Amino acid sequence: MSSKGRQKETLRSLSRQSLHDDDIESYHSELLNASDRACALVGAATVEHALSIAIIANFVELDEERENQLFWNPTSPLGSLSSKIQMAFALGVYDGYFSTMVSSVKDIRNVFAHALRPINFQHPLVKTACDKLPRTEHVLKSGAADPLTTERRRYIATCIQLANVLKDYAEKRRVHGVKTRAYLIKQPR
């Protein structure tokens, strides 16, 4: 602890911090203008953070130590995005289609996180994975000289929409005790 009673900031605690209002512009700039690899990692981190919030909204109130034991320590049972996806589905946070979309974001993120080779959203396998995401990229504003590929645009839009729906779900659970599921969009037929 520091001299003022606050815990010392660590790399792990830095990775858990939420966006502040003054971070939003930089966050959007990073998603839209940074490398494809950065975009994939930041987009998935946004979804993972929102997923953690949605899961916590289903739990009894946890103190910081218990929350750290469940989510944020190296050996935590909910320390990976994959385990969070499974837990949220088991808790009824979302249906199978929503789970598939979150898993697709995870799979795309993993390629960018672990590939040693330079990789981008135009790689045939990444393109194929992005083609399975919902067609919601129209929610992002574009200009005449828009440098974003359709696949990157679709990935960003999906990450933002998933995160927003999960945060809305958590807010309804917390404030109103509403038992509902998070729905993205209807599954295509």
Side-chain angles (χ1 to χ4, degrees), residues 70-140:
L70 283 171
F71 287 91
W72 311 118
N73 291 329
T75 58
S76 297
L78 296 173
S80 72
L81 179 53
S82 183
S83 63
K84 289 175 186 133
I85 291 168
Q86 292 174 31
M87 177 59 78
F89 181 76
L91 289 170
V93 171
Y94 46 64
D95 63 8
Y97 178 66
F98 196 102
S99 181
T100 299
M101 293 303 100
V102 178
S103 292
S104 294
V105 166
K106 172 193 62 84
D107 293 343
I108 293 165
R109 186 273 319 254
N110 284 348
V111 168
F112 283 98
H114 300 289
L116 294 176
R117 299 179 45 205
I119 192 157
N120 60 43
F121 282 99
Q122 292 302 293
H123 186 283
L125 292 173
V126 176
K127 245 179 135 160
T128 299
C130 288
D131 284 344
K132 296 175 185 173
L133 297 175
R135 305 235 183 301
T136 58
E137 63 273 14
H138 61 279
V139 300
L140 297 177

Side-chain angles (χ1 to χ4, degrees), residues 120-187:
N120 60 43
F121 282 99
Q122 292 302 293
H123 186 283
L125 292 173
V126 176
K127 245 179 135 160
T128 299
C130 288
D131 284 344
K132 296 175 185 173
L133 297 175
R135 305 235 183 301
T136 58
E137 63 273 14
H138 61 279
V139 300
L140 297 177
K141 296 177 184 173
S142 63
D146 187 2
L148 298 180
T149 64
T150 300
E151 293 75 25
R152 180 173 172 156
R153 181 173 287 286
R154 187 171 297 145
Y155 180 82
I156 293 169
T158 299
C159 289
I160 290 171
Q161 190 175 24
L162 288 168
N164 286 340
V165 169
L166 288 165
K167 288 177 190 173
D168 184 55
Y169 165 86
E171 185 67 18
K172 287 178 182 172
R173 289 283 295 171
R174 245 192 332 269
V175 174
H176 306 293
V178 174
K179 291 191 176 189
T180 185
R181 283 192 174 174
Y183 289 101
L184 180 61
I185 57 173
K186 297 290 184 207
Q187 183 173 0

